Amino acid sequence: MKNNILQIKNLSKSYYTKNGEIKAIENISLEINEGDFIAVVGSSGCGKSTLLSIIAALEEKSAGEIIFNKKDFVIGYMLQDDALFDWLTIKDNALLGLEIKHLKNSKNIEYVDQLLKTYDLDNFKLKYPKELSGGMKQRVSLIRTLAIQPDILLLDEPFSALDYQTRLAVSEDVYKIIKKENKTVIMVTHDLAEAISLADKVVVLSKRPSKIKTIYNMKFPNNLTPILKRQTKEFNMYYEQIWKDLDVVV
Amino acid sequence: MSNEAKAFLKKEKRFNLLVHITQIFMIVLILALWEILSRYGIISKFIFSSPSLILETIKSLFLEGTLFNHIFTTLFETIIAFVLGILLGLIIAVILYSFKFIARVFEPFLTLINSLPKVALGPILIIWIGANTKSIIAMALLINLIVSIISIYTGFLNTDYNKIKLLKSFGADKIQILKKLIIPSSYQTIISSLKLNISMTLIGVIMGEFLVSKAGLGYLIMYGTQVFNLNLVMSGIFLLLIFSYILYKIINLIEKRLIKN
Ligand SMILES: Nc1ncnc2c1ncn2[C@@H]1O[C@H](COP(=O)(O)OP(=O)(O)OP(=O)(O)O)[C@@H](O)[C@H]1O
Ligand SMILES: [Mg+2]
């Protein structure tokens, strides 16, 4: 039995604007276990980013509960845009989270150094973001998130800024890094193939106000990487099912 | 390097040289024409002065020992007003950015004051502050401060929202966001506001010297006009031209140096 680390109970969220109330999320409940890789899919504007923002406490919830299994639960939020700071070196960018949290000690710096080395950024430590390719920047952004040793990673469309080829390669990279570092992940995407090939569990949200429509548990032959998974018959089967479920009007 | 590249560079170099030669030729021509016309009495020396008379006037100012007094007076006022303008501009922009309420309250007034020709306030300044250097600096501040505030504040507002969200996700507080993100990301804006600021400061300082002063380049021009000594007026303008050009170049240099890092 896996260790439950995060529980979302009956979560709802409404935004209030001049033009009235927008009900973004309605009554979402979800359990996240240690080591899970959960993908959340849903149509554009249904409330996926809102869900992550609430978990990360960047946005207040309207109702419901979010329960962490410990008091100093650390959340790593990786945004769609790499959001690297142009005026900082790659290493300083990677250390940004630690610096904000006043955790920039030699042990943590060493950890970041080691991450940069493991993920082929050692030679770029003293360079600036504009000298890196899109895929490399995304890796730096992930390392910046990993540096604070989060208990859970929240990824909001982490690859959407990349072109298709790079996107496949980078998602493969990120997947390996996450598995190697043994992290728990909630990833939001509207790319079905990405969700199916990366996640163990795909949560399908309905249109706004979003509720959970279905949860799929992915079962693939053992130890396939995302790109290999895309070539299996299971992949096609899941794709078809979830596609129907999403109820996309073309 | 390929032959085409060499040919291109050569062409570019020749073009630049031609531009420079033409510029120098133009200046020499105008100065010579001016000199000859006034020397032969075709235009009045008394009203138009002449290059040689200007040089002579500057020389005699130097021999009297007042030349550098005038230059340093203006330089002193300019530096004080410039530094104050930038510092206050930065501080006020930070306050406006940090407190949405204050920003909303003051925005229309900023626009209002910005649209007012500040010279109109000169006479009031003299009455309130007195006919002294403080009035001159206040005049310059009036002109450069509003522009600095508005350009720096706008720079702050243009900060990428995603980056703010990122810092917040690390639990950053307001001061950390300002220090780590808002101010560094507005670096370019702040530096380019220096350039705008220096020209505004000079306008303010000379304006102030016109209104009240006992020394300075603006005073030289004003005094010359009052005693109808056009040699002095022209000399003042000439010195001011060189003075502001050097200041502008220095700011440019600082800008280049700062932006490179
Ligand atoms: N700060 C806000 N104020 C008001 N409405 C908001 C705010 N943030 C989001 N919304 C609205 O809430 C709904 C859900 O937004 P959200 O960004 O969570 O959607 P999403 O599923 O992430 O969309 P996308 O696929 O486009 O990224 C949208 O209709 C959006 O307009
Ligand atoms: Mg979104």
Side-chain angles (χ1 to χ4, degrees), chain A residues 15 17 22 24 43-50 59 157 190 208:
Chain A
Y15 286 108
T17 66
I22 298 173
S43 55
S44 186
C46 75
K48 304 182 295 293
S49 299
T50 303
E59 204 70 79
E157 314 239 4
H190 48 226
R208 225 177 56 219

Side-chain angles (χ1 to χ4, degrees), chain A residues 71-126:
Chain A
K71 216 164 156 230
D72 47 359
F73 196 87
V74 180
I75 290 170
Y77 198 166
M78 188 171 156
L79 303 155
Q80 174 175 340
D81 181 310
D82 60 57
L84 295 178
F85 291 8
D86 307 329
W87 56 93
L88 295 180
T89 60
I90 294 308
K91 182 163 174 184
D92 287 339
N93 264 295
L95 289 170
L96 188 65
L98 291 172
E99 186 167 345
I100 297 292
K101 288 177 169 293
H102 305 291
L103 290 171
K104 213 167 114 183
N105 54 37
S106 57
K107 189 175 131 254
N108 287 331
I109 293 176
E110 200 175 307
Y111 176 58
V112 168
D113 267 328
Q114 179 222 317
L115 285 171
L116 288 169
K117 200 174 210 160
T118 317
Y119 303 115
D120 295 325
L121 289 161
D122 211 29
N123 295 329
F124 293 89
K125 272 201 290 215
L126 300 177

Side-chain angles (χ1 to χ4, degrees), chain A residues 79-242:
Chain A
L79 303 155
Q80 174 175 340
D81 181 310
D82 60 57
L84 295 178
F85 291 8
D86 307 329
W87 56 93
L88 295 180
T89 60
I90 294 308
K91 182 163 174 184
D92 287 339
N93 264 295
L95 289 170
L96 188 65
L98 291 172
E99 186 167 345
I100 297 292
K101 288 177 169 293
H102 305 291
L103 290 171
K104 213 167 114 183
N105 54 37
S106 57
K107 189 175 131 254
N108 287 331
I109 293 176
E110 200 175 307
Y111 176 58
V112 168
D113 267 328
Q114 179 222 317
L115 285 171
L116 288 169
K117 200 174 210 160
T118 317
Y119 303 115
D120 295 325
L121 289 161
D122 211 29
N123 295 329
F124 293 89
K125 272 201 290 215
L126 300 177
K127 296 229 152 67
Y128 289 86
K130 63 173 186 292
E131 300 169 82
L132 269 64
S133 70
M136 286 165 116
K137 284 195 236 178
Q138 216 63 19
R139 250 183 294 160
V140 177
S141 154
L142 179 63
I143 290 172
R144 177 181 59 197
T145 316
L146 290 174
I148 57 170
Q149 314 209 2
D151 296 298
I152 194 166
L153 276 171
L154 307 178
L155 312 181
D156 193 351
E157 314 239 4
F159 315 118
S160 63
L162 307 171
D163 63 77
Y164 186 71
Q165 297 287 331
T166 321
R167 189 174 178 141
L168 279 184
V170 174
S171 56
E172 188 91 352
D173 269 358
V174 166
Y175 179 83
K176 282 180 189 157
I177 297 172
I178 284 166
K179 286 295 162 191
K180 187 155 176 251
E181 308 292 329
N182 196 22
K183 291 293 175 192
T184 312
V185 176
I186 303 179
M187 177 180 78
V188 152
T189 176
H190 48 226
D191 183 337
L192 263 192
E194 197 166 273
I196 297 167
S197 61
L198 288 167
D200 320 312
K201 226 186 235 182
V202 176
V203 176
V204 181
L205 296 184
S206 68
K207 292 216 178 68
R208 225 177 56 219
S210 26
K211 303 179 194 123
I212 294 186
K213 219 169 175 182
T214 328
I215 298 178
Y216 291 87
N217 286 302
M218 306 284 116
K219 288 205 173 53
F220 283 100
N222 272 341
N223 295 330
L224 290 183
T225 65
I227 288 182
L228 292 174
K229 281 188 198 166
R230 284 173 190 251
Q231 294 153 15
T232 61
K233 60 175 191 302
E234 288 89 344
F235 178 86
N236 290 326
M237 183 190 80
Y238 287 129
Y239 196 98
E240 225 165 278
Q241 281 180 10
I242 299 175

Side-chain angles (χ1 to χ4, degrees), chain B residues 107-143:
Chain B
E107 261 161 22
F109 297 112
L110 274 179
T111 320
L112 199 68
I113 297 172
N114 192 32
S115 56
L116 175 80
K118 262 65 74 179
V119 203
L121 299 176
I124 301 180
L125 284 183
I126 298 171
I127 294 169
W128 285 352
I129 305 175
N132 52 38
T133 311
K134 277 187 230 151
S135 283
I136 298 174
I137 291 172
M139 186 78 235
L141 264 180
L142 263 183
I143 294 183

Side-chain angles (χ1 to χ4, degrees), chain A residues 53 58 75 77 79 81 83-87 96-97 99-102 144-145 148 156, chain B residues 160-163 165-173 176-177 180-182 184-185 261:
Chain A
S53 294
L58 297 182
I75 290 170
Y77 198 166
L79 303 155
D81 181 310
L84 295 178
F85 291 8
D86 307 329
W87 56 93
L96 188 65
E99 186 167 345
I100 297 292
K101 288 177 169 293
H102 305 291
R144 177 181 59 197
T145 316
I148 57 170
D156 193 351
Chain B
D160 180 5
Y161 180 70
N162 254 317
K163 297 196 167 98
K165 201 168 161 191
L166 173 83
L167 287 192
K168 281 188 178 161
S169 82
F170 287 130
D173 56 38
Q176 281 179 316
I177 293 177
K180 298 280 179 230
L181 174 62
I182 309 290
S185 74
N261 296 337

Side-chain angles (χ1 to χ4, degrees), chain B residues 57-127:
Chain B
T57 312
I58 293 175
K59 198 171 129 197
S60 68
L61 282 173
F62 175 70
L63 292 177
E64 279 168 32
T66 53
L67 177 65
F68 287 106
N69 180 32
H70 289 303
I71 292 177
F72 284 126
T73 304
T74 302
L75 184 65
F76 171 76
E77 292 157 353
T78 307
I79 290 177
I80 299 279
F82 174 74
V83 172
L84 272 180
I86 286 290
L87 285 183
L88 287 177
L90 198 60
I91 293 170
I92 294 172
V94 166
I95 293 173
L96 289 180
Y97 184 82
S98 309
F99 304 99
K100 205 172 152 194
F101 180 78
I102 297 182
R104 282 291 281 281
V105 169
F106 282 96
E107 261 161 22
F109 297 112
L110 274 179
T111 320
L112 199 68
I113 297 172
N114 192 32
S115 56
L116 175 80
K118 262 65 74 179
V119 203
L121 299 176
I124 301 180
L125 284 183
I126 298 171
I127 294 169

